[in-house]
Structures are given as C-alpha cells and as structure tokens.
Amino acid sequence: MKDGRGRQYGGYNGIIGELDFLQELRERAHDLIADLDETVLNTEHDGHTIQHLFSHMMSAEVKWFSQLLRQTTTILPTTVETLDQYTRMALASFDLGDKCEIGPFKTIGDIVRHLQWHWTYHSGQIGLIRRALGQTYKWNFDQ
C-alpha cells in the first residue's frame, strides 16, 4: 500500500469564513443527493451506499466536535442546516488557532480543515456512485 502524502493545513480565513466554506461543502454534498429516492440512496455499489457515506460525513463532524466539548451523548443533526448550527455553536468560544489534542489534530483549525477535506473526499465518492447507478448530475458555477 502506498503511504500517502501528509495533510498540511494552514492559511486560515478566519473562523467565520472557514465555517461558511464548510457549510458550502455540506450544501454541495446535499444537493448531490437531494433528488435521489430511497432505493438509489441505499443501493450498494462497491461496498458503499450513498446514504451511508452521507450519514458518515454528518456523524464524523459531530464526533470530532463532541470530543472537543467533552460531550458523551449527542443527537445527530438531520440536515446540513442543523449540522451547521451545531458546529457553529460548538466553536462559538474557540478560535482556529486554539490548541487541542483530539485524535491527530493540534488546533481547532486542523479539525475544521480536515472536515472540509472529508466532505470533499466523500462527495467525490457519492458523485461516482451516483453516476455508476445511472443518475446524472451536472456541476455548475454560480452565474
């Protein structure tokens, strides 16, 4: 197995800008699945389903921030909007440069940047599964 390039995070755009970008990534992922019916969402392709990947992204974000807040029980948000509210509330008293020791992360910014990468990575997987299942999608830029 190839040992991948180490992740490097930095050059933050302030916490509001980074959280706004994270929400944009969530909304892009949601848009990718919003028109799909339950059958397509739960059809397995190469060991994955679209629903499982989307749920994984939602729960992973909650997991990292619940560890930061030292919460033992957390209700999983059901929409990208409620996840955004949860994350912004969780980070309300923090700054991106604040130190932490959670998993491999050393700062709050590391967690936020990892989540941005995580949403992007799995959105690509969802896009490929969607295409493999015959569900077309056209990416667009704002006009």
Side-chain angles (χ1 to χ4, degrees):
M1 177 180 291
K2 180 183 185 285
D3 191 20
R5 178 184 180 277
R7 295 182 196 144
Q8 298 176 16
Y9 302 118
Y12 302 116
N13 185 27
I15 197 160
I16 299 301
E18 295 298 322
L19 293 179
D20 288 349
F21 182 62
L22 183 59
Q23 178 61 4
E24 171 64 19
L25 295 173
R26 290 186 207 108
E27 289 175 6
R28 287 181 191 185
H30 181 262
D31 187 63
L32 193 55
I33 70 168
D35 65 316
L36 301 176
D37 63 33
E38 290 296 315
T39 301
V40 173
L41 289 171
N42 293 298
T43 298
E44 188 173 312
H45 180 76
D46 200 25
H48 299 285
T49 70
I50 292 171
Q51 184 62 54
H52 179 261
L53 287 169
F54 195 80
S55 295
H56 164 72
M57 292 187 291
M58 298 274 290
S59 64
E61 187 166 330
V62 171
K63 174 192 153 206
W64 289 119
F65 291 127
S66 65
Q67 287 182 41
L68 176 68
L69 299 174
R70 294 184 168 91
Q71 294 175 332
T72 54
T73 57
T74 304
I75 297 171
L76 185 63
T78 57
T79 68
V80 294
E81 291 79 17
T82 56
L83 181 58
D84 184 55
Q85 291 168 358
Y86 169 80
T87 296
R88 288 177 192 270
M89 189 175 64
L91 295 180
S93 63
F94 294 98
D95 188 49
L96 293 170
D98 289 349
K99 303 287 184 209
C100 67
E101 289 191 25
I102 299 170
F105 308 118
K106 304 293 183 222
T107 67
I108 302 302
D110 291 346
I111 298 171
V112 172
R113 282 287 169 98
H114 172 75
L115 289 168
Q116 291 168 344
W117 172 84
H118 191 245
W119 277 95
T120 303
Y121 177 86
H122 288 306
S123 290
Q125 282 184 295
I126 288 171
L128 288 172
I129 293 172
R130 181 187 172 109
R131 177 181 278 178
L133 297 176
Q135 304 294 315
T136 58
Y137 184 88
K138 181 182 177 193
W139 290 100
N140 291 299
F141 291 91
D142 266 349
Q143 299 299 332

